[in-house]
PDB file of all heavy atoms in Angstrom:
ATOM      1  N   ASN N  77      12.266  -7.776   2.911  1.00  0.00           N
ATOM      2  CA  ASN N  77      12.906  -7.995   1.606  1.00  0.00           C
ATOM      3  C   ASN N  77      12.642  -9.436   1.169  1.00  0.00           C
ATOM      4  O   ASN N  77      13.538 -10.277   1.192  1.00  0.00           O
ATOM      5  CB  ASN N  77      14.415  -7.722   1.734  1.00  0.00           C
ATOM      6  CG  ASN N  77      15.132  -7.800   0.410  1.00  0.00           C
ATOM      7  OD1 ASN N  77      14.524  -7.645  -0.654  1.00  0.00           O
ATOM      8  ND2 ASN N  77      16.429  -8.067   0.453  1.00  0.00           N
ATOM      9  N   PRO N  78      11.398  -9.719   0.773  1.00  0.00           N
ATOM     10  CA  PRO N  78      10.998 -11.121   0.596  1.00  0.00           C
ATOM     11  C   PRO N  78      11.760 -11.829  -0.521  1.00  0.00           C
ATOM     12  O   PRO N  78      11.964 -11.277  -1.595  1.00  0.00           O
ATOM     13  CB  PRO N  78       9.504 -11.031   0.279  1.00  0.00           C
ATOM     14  CG  PRO N  78       9.264  -9.628  -0.156  1.00  0.00           C
ATOM     15  CD  PRO N  78      10.288  -8.785   0.525  1.00  0.00           C
ATOM     16  N   ALA N  79      12.169 -13.066  -0.222  1.00  0.00           N
ATOM     17  CA  ALA N  79      12.890 -13.903  -1.182  1.00  0.00           C
ATOM     18  C   ALA N  79      11.968 -14.922  -1.836  1.00  0.00           C
ATOM     19  O   ALA N  79      12.423 -15.740  -2.645  1.00  0.00           O
ATOM     20  CB  ALA N  79      14.046 -14.611  -0.476  1.00  0.00           C
ATOM     21  N   ALA N  80      10.684 -14.871  -1.498  1.00  0.00           N
ATOM     22  CA  ALA N  80       9.704 -15.815  -2.061  1.00  0.00           C
ATOM     23  C   ALA N  80       8.326 -15.180  -1.865  1.00  0.00           C
ATOM     24  O   ALA N  80       8.181 -14.248  -1.057  1.00  0.00           O
ATOM     25  CB  ALA N  80       9.791 -17.156  -1.331  1.00  0.00           C
ATOM     26  N   PRO N  81       7.302 -15.674  -2.579  1.00  0.00           N
ATOM     27  CA  PRO N  81       5.961 -15.093  -2.418  1.00  0.00           C
ATOM     28  C   PRO N  81       5.494 -15.094  -0.960  1.00  0.00           C
ATOM     29  O   PRO N  81       4.817 -14.151  -0.521  1.00  0.00           O
ATOM     30  CB  PRO N  81       5.089 -15.995  -3.304  1.00  0.00           C
ATOM     31  CG  PRO N  81       6.021 -16.466  -4.378  1.00  0.00           C
ATOM     32  CD  PRO N  81       7.341 -16.671  -3.678  1.00  0.00           C
ATOM     33  N   VAL N  82       5.821 -16.145  -0.231  1.00  0.00           N
ATOM     34  CA  VAL N  82       5.590 -16.166   1.221  1.00  0.00           C
ATOM     35  C   VAL N  82       6.962 -16.169   1.888  1.00  0.00           C
ATOM     36  O   VAL N  82       7.774 -17.079   1.652  1.00  0.00           O
ATOM     37  CB  VAL N  82       4.787 -17.415   1.645  1.00  0.00           C
ATOM     38  CG1 VAL N  82       4.708 -17.510   3.171  1.00  0.00           C
ATOM     39  CG2 VAL N  82       3.392 -17.384   1.027  1.00  0.00           C
ATOM     40  N   HIS N  83       7.245 -15.128   2.646  1.00  0.00           N
ATOM     41  CA  HIS N  83       8.518 -15.064   3.386  1.00  0.00           C
ATOM     42  C   HIS N  83       8.223 -14.406   4.730  1.00  0.00           C
ATOM     43  O   HIS N  83       8.063 -13.180   4.829  1.00  0.00           O
ATOM     44  CB  HIS N  83       9.567 -14.277   2.605  1.00  0.00           C
ATOM     45  CG  HIS N  83      10.941 -14.318   3.236  1.00  0.00           C
ATOM     46  ND1 HIS N  83      12.070 -13.812   2.612  1.00  0.00           N
ATOM     47  CD2 HIS N  83      11.366 -14.810   4.429  1.00  0.00           C
ATOM     48  CE1 HIS N  83      13.121 -13.991   3.398  1.00  0.00           C
ATOM     49  NE2 HIS N  83      12.719 -14.588   4.518  1.00  0.00           N
ATOM     50  N   SER N 120      -1.215 -19.833   5.286  1.00  0.00           N
ATOM     51  CA  SER N 120      -0.799 -19.164   4.054  1.00  0.00           C
ATOM     52  C   SER N 120      -1.069 -20.020   2.826  1.00  0.00           C
ATOM     53  O   SER N 120      -0.861 -19.560   1.700  1.00  0.00           O
ATOM     54  CB  SER N 120       0.698 -18.832   4.111  1.00  0.00           C
ATOM     55  OG  SER N 120       1.000 -18.037   5.223  1.00  0.00           O
ATOM     56  N   GLY N 121      -1.457 -21.267   3.040  1.00  0.00           N
ATOM     57  CA  GLY N 121      -1.803 -22.149   1.936  1.00  0.00           C
ATOM     58  C   GLY N 121      -0.620 -22.760   1.219  1.00  0.00           C
ATOM     59  O   GLY N 121      -0.764 -23.251   0.093  1.00  0.00           O
ATOM     60  N   VAL N 122       0.551 -22.736   1.853  1.00  0.00           N
ATOM     61  CA  VAL N 122       1.729 -23.318   1.192  1.00  0.00           C
ATOM     62  C   VAL N 122       2.039 -24.718   1.712  1.00  0.00           C
ATOM     63  O   VAL N 122       2.990 -25.356   1.246  1.00  0.00           O
ATOM     64  CB  VAL N 122       2.991 -22.424   1.342  1.00  0.00           C
ATOM     65  CG1 VAL N 122       2.763 -21.079   0.677  1.00  0.00           C
ATOM     66  CG2 VAL N 122       3.412 -22.253   2.786  1.00  0.00           C
ATOM     67  N   ASP N 123       1.240 -25.214   2.637  1.00  0.00           N
ATOM     68  CA  ASP N 123       1.568 -26.498   3.263  1.00  0.00           C
ATOM     69  C   ASP N 123       1.461 -27.654   2.275  1.00  0.00           C
ATOM     70  O   ASP N 123       2.266 -28.589   2.328  1.00  0.00           O
ATOM     71  CB  ASP N 123       0.699 -26.746   4.503  1.00  0.00           C
ATOM     72  CG  ASP N 123      -0.781 -26.646   4.196  1.00  0.00           C
ATOM     73  OD1 ASP N 123      -1.174 -25.718   3.469  1.00  0.00           O
ATOM     74  OD2 ASP N 123      -1.542 -27.501   4.683  1.00  0.00           O
ATOM     75  N   ASP N 125       2.011 -27.788  -1.022  1.00  0.00           N
ATOM     76  CA  ASP N 125       3.121 -27.865  -1.974  1.00  0.00           C
ATOM     77  C   ASP N 125       4.480 -27.897  -1.293  1.00  0.00           C
ATOM     78  O   ASP N 125       5.487 -28.250  -1.926  1.00  0.00           O
ATOM     79  CB  ASP N 125       3.065 -26.691  -2.956  1.00  0.00           C
ATOM     80  CG  ASP N 125       1.934 -26.831  -3.956  1.00  0.00           C
ATOM     81  OD1 ASP N 125       1.456 -27.971  -4.150  1.00  0.00           O
ATOM     82  OD2 ASP N 125       1.520 -25.811  -4.535  1.00  0.00           O
ATOM     83  N   GLY N 126       4.525 -27.494  -0.051  1.00  0.00           N
ATOM     84  CA  GLY N 126       5.782 -27.544   0.701  1.00  0.00           C
ATOM     85  C   GLY N 126       6.402 -26.181   0.893  1.00  0.00           C
ATOM     86  O   GLY N 126       5.998 -25.188   0.268  1.00  0.00           O
ATOM     87  N   TYR N 127       7.367 -26.142   1.773  1.00  0.00           N
ATOM     88  CA  TYR N 127       8.001 -24.873   2.129  1.00  0.00           C
ATOM     89  C   TYR N 127       9.370 -25.154   2.720  1.00  0.00           C
ATOM     90  O   TYR N 127       9.742 -26.312   2.938  1.00  0.00           O
ATOM     91  CB  TYR N 127       7.126 -24.064   3.088  1.00  0.00           C
ATOM     92  CG  TYR N 127       6.576 -24.837   4.266  1.00  0.00           C
ATOM     93  CD1 TYR N 127       7.214 -24.803   5.500  1.00  0.00           C
ATOM     94  CD2 TYR N 127       5.415 -25.592   4.149  1.00  0.00           C
ATOM     95  CE1 TYR N 127       6.699 -25.498   6.595  1.00  0.00           C
ATOM     96  CE2 TYR N 127       4.894 -26.290   5.235  1.00  0.00           C
ATOM     97  CZ  TYR N 127       5.540 -26.239   6.447  1.00  0.00           C
ATOM     98  OH  TYR N 127       5.034 -26.934   7.510  1.00  0.00           O
ATOM     99  N   ARG N 128      10.110 -24.101   2.956  1.00  0.00           N
ATOM    100  CA  ARG N 128      11.461 -24.241   3.504  1.00  0.00           C
ATOM    101  C   ARG N 128      11.557 -23.435   4.791  1.00  0.00           C
ATOM    102  O   ARG N 128      11.128 -22.276   4.830  1.00  0.00           O
ATOM    103  CB  ARG N 128      12.486 -23.755   2.468  1.00  0.00           C
ATOM    104  CG  ARG N 128      13.932 -23.866   2.922  1.00  0.00           C
ATOM    105  CD  ARG N 128      14.893 -23.606   1.758  1.00  0.00           C
ATOM    106  NE  ARG N 128      14.952 -24.750   0.846  1.00  0.00           N
ATOM    107  CZ  ARG N 128      15.659 -24.778  -0.285  1.00  0.00           C
ATOM    108  NH1 ARG N 128      16.351 -23.699  -0.656  1.00  0.00           N
ATOM    109  NH2 ARG N 128      15.664 -25.845  -1.050  1.00  0.00           N
ATOM    110  N   ILE N 130      14.400 -22.015   7.438  1.00  0.00           N
ATOM    111  CA  ILE N 130      15.839 -21.753   7.481  1.00  0.00           C
ATOM    112  C   ILE N 130      16.183 -20.999   8.760  1.00  0.00           C
ATOM    113  O   ILE N 130      15.489 -20.045   9.129  1.00  0.00           O
ATOM    114  CB  ILE N 130      16.289 -20.879   6.277  1.00  0.00           C
ATOM    115  CG1 ILE N 130      16.055 -21.606   4.952  1.00  0.00           C
ATOM    116  CG2 ILE N 130      17.757 -20.473   6.410  1.00  0.00           C
ATOM    117  CD1 ILE N 130      16.384 -20.753   3.729  1.00  0.00           C
ATOM    118  N   LEU N 148      10.430 -18.656   7.108  1.00  0.00           N
ATOM    119  CA  LEU N 148       9.476 -19.534   6.420  1.00  0.00           C
ATOM    120  C   LEU N 148       9.364 -19.034   4.987  1.00  0.00           C
ATOM    121  O   LEU N 148       8.959 -17.882   4.755  1.00  0.00           O
ATOM    122  CB  LEU N 148       8.107 -19.485   7.109  1.00  0.00           C
ATOM    123  CG  LEU N 148       6.906 -20.001   6.300  1.00  0.00           C
ATOM    124  CD1 LEU N 148       7.057 -21.476   5.952  1.00  0.00           C
ATOM    125  CD2 LEU N 148       5.615 -19.756   7.065  1.00  0.00           C
ATOM    126  N   LEU N 149       9.777 -19.870   4.045  1.00  0.00           N
ATOM    127  CA  LEU N 149       9.766 -19.504   2.626  1.00  0.00           C
ATOM    128  C   LEU N 149       8.866 -20.470   1.874  1.00  0.00           C
ATOM    129  O   LEU N 149       8.989 -21.694   2.033  1.00  0.00           O
ATOM    130  CB  LEU N 149      11.180 -19.594   2.043  1.00  0.00           C
ATOM    131  CG  LEU N 149      12.193 -18.598   2.596  1.00  0.00           C
ATOM    132  CD1 LEU N 149      13.606 -19.123   2.420  1.00  0.00           C
ATOM    133  CD2 LEU N 149      12.049 -17.263   1.889  1.00  0.00           C
ATOM    134  N   GLY N 150       7.979 -19.928   1.049  1.00  0.00           N
ATOM    135  CA  GLY N 150       7.099 -20.788   0.275  1.00  0.00           C
ATOM    136  C   GLY N 150       6.470 -20.035  -0.876  1.00  0.00           C
ATOM    137  O   GLY N 150       6.715 -18.845  -1.071  1.00  0.00           O
ATOM    138  N   GLY N 151       5.670 -20.768  -1.639  1.00  0.00           N
ATOM    139  CA  GLY N 151       4.971 -20.155  -2.764  1.00  0.00           C
ATOM    140  C   GLY N 151       5.698 -20.288  -4.075  1.00  0.00           C
ATOM    141  O   GLY N 151       5.205 -19.826  -5.113  1.00  0.00           O
ATOM    142  N   ARG N 152       6.871 -20.896  -4.037  1.00  0.00           N
ATOM    143  CA  ARG N 152       7.584 -21.220  -5.276  1.00  0.00           C
ATOM    144  C   ARG N 152       8.524 -22.375  -4.977  1.00  0.00           C
ATOM    145  O   ARG N 152       8.825 -22.663  -3.821  1.00  0.00           O
ATOM    146  CB  ARG N 152       8.379 -20.033  -5.820  1.00  0.00           C
ATOM    147  CG  ARG N 152       9.563 -19.616  -4.964  1.00  0.00           C
ATOM    148  CD  ARG N 152      10.412 -18.603  -5.720  1.00  0.00           C
ATOM    149  NE  ARG N 152      11.438 -17.993  -4.902  1.00  0.00           N
ATOM    150  CZ  ARG N 152      12.636 -18.523  -4.649  1.00  0.00           C
ATOM    151  NH1 ARG N 152      12.951 -19.718  -5.134  1.00  0.00           N
ATOM    152  NH2 ARG N 152      13.518 -17.882  -3.901  1.00  0.00           N
ATOM    153  N   LYS N 153       9.001 -23.030  -6.063  1.00  0.00           N
ATOM    154  CA  LYS N 153       9.945 -24.120  -5.874  1.00  0.00           C
ATOM    155  C   LYS N 153      11.287 -23.543  -5.435  1.00  0.00           C
ATOM    156  O   LYS N 153      11.834 -22.666  -6.085  1.00  0.00           O
ATOM    157  CB  LYS N 153      10.115 -24.871  -7.208  1.00  0.00           C
ATOM    158  CG  LYS N 153      11.073 -26.037  -7.164  1.00  0.00           C
ATOM    159  CD  LYS N 153      10.386 -27.315  -6.719  1.00  0.00           C
ATOM    160  CE  LYS N 153      11.272 -28.535  -6.938  1.00  0.00           C
ATOM    161  NZ  LYS N 153      12.418 -28.605  -6.017  1.00  0.00           N
ATOM    162  N   MET N 154      11.797 -24.045  -4.332  1.00  0.00           N
ATOM    163  CA  MET N 154      13.078 -23.549  -3.830  1.00  0.00           C
ATOM    164  C   MET N 154      14.228 -24.203  -4.596  1.00  0.00           C
ATOM    165  O   MET N 154      14.162 -25.386  -4.934  1.00  0.00           O
ATOM    166  CB  MET N 154      13.224 -23.877  -2.344  1.00  0.00           C
ATOM    167  CG  MET N 154      12.202 -23.199  -1.481  1.00  0.00           C
ATOM    168  SD  MET N 154      12.312 -21.401  -1.563  1.00  0.00           S
ATOM    169  CE  MET N 154      10.586 -20.994  -1.301  1.00  0.00           C
ATOM    170  N   PRO N 155      15.301 -23.457  -4.856  1.00  0.00           N
ATOM    171  CA  PRO N 155      16.460 -24.056  -5.527  1.00  0.00           C
ATOM    172  C   PRO N 155      17.147 -25.064  -4.615  1.00  0.00           C
ATOM    173  O   PRO N 155      17.020 -24.999  -3.386  1.00  0.00           O
ATOM    174  CB  PRO N 155      17.376 -22.852  -5.776  1.00  0.00           C
ATOM    175  CG  PRO N 155      16.968 -21.840  -4.769  1.00  0.00           C
ATOM    176  CD  PRO N 155      15.503 -22.056  -4.500  1.00  0.00           C
ATOM    177  N   GLU N 156      17.875 -25.990  -5.246  1.00  0.00           N
ATOM    178  CA  GLU N 156      18.674 -26.916  -4.444  1.00  0.00           C
ATOM    179  C   GLU N 156      19.701 -26.125  -3.649  1.00  0.00           C
ATOM    180  O   GLU N 156      20.168 -25.060  -4.082  1.00  0.00           O
ATOM    181  CB  GLU N 156      19.400 -27.917  -5.356  1.00  0.00           C
ATOM    182  CG  GLU N 156      18.457 -28.918  -5.992  1.00  0.00           C
ATOM    183  CD  GLU N 156      19.226 -29.938  -6.809  1.00  0.00           C
ATOM    184  OE1 GLU N 156      20.443 -30.105  -6.591  1.00  0.00           O
ATOM    185  OE2 GLU N 156      18.583 -30.548  -7.674  1.00  0.00           O
TER     186      GLU N 156
END
Side-chain angles (χ1 to χ4, degrees):
N77 185 23
V82 173
H83 187 172
S120 303
V122 298
D123 55 317
D125 288 339
Y127 48 97
R128 181 170 285 177
I130 297 176
L148 162 62
L149 294 156
R152 68 170 171 83
K153 180 87 169 71
M154 296 299 149
E156 289 184 20

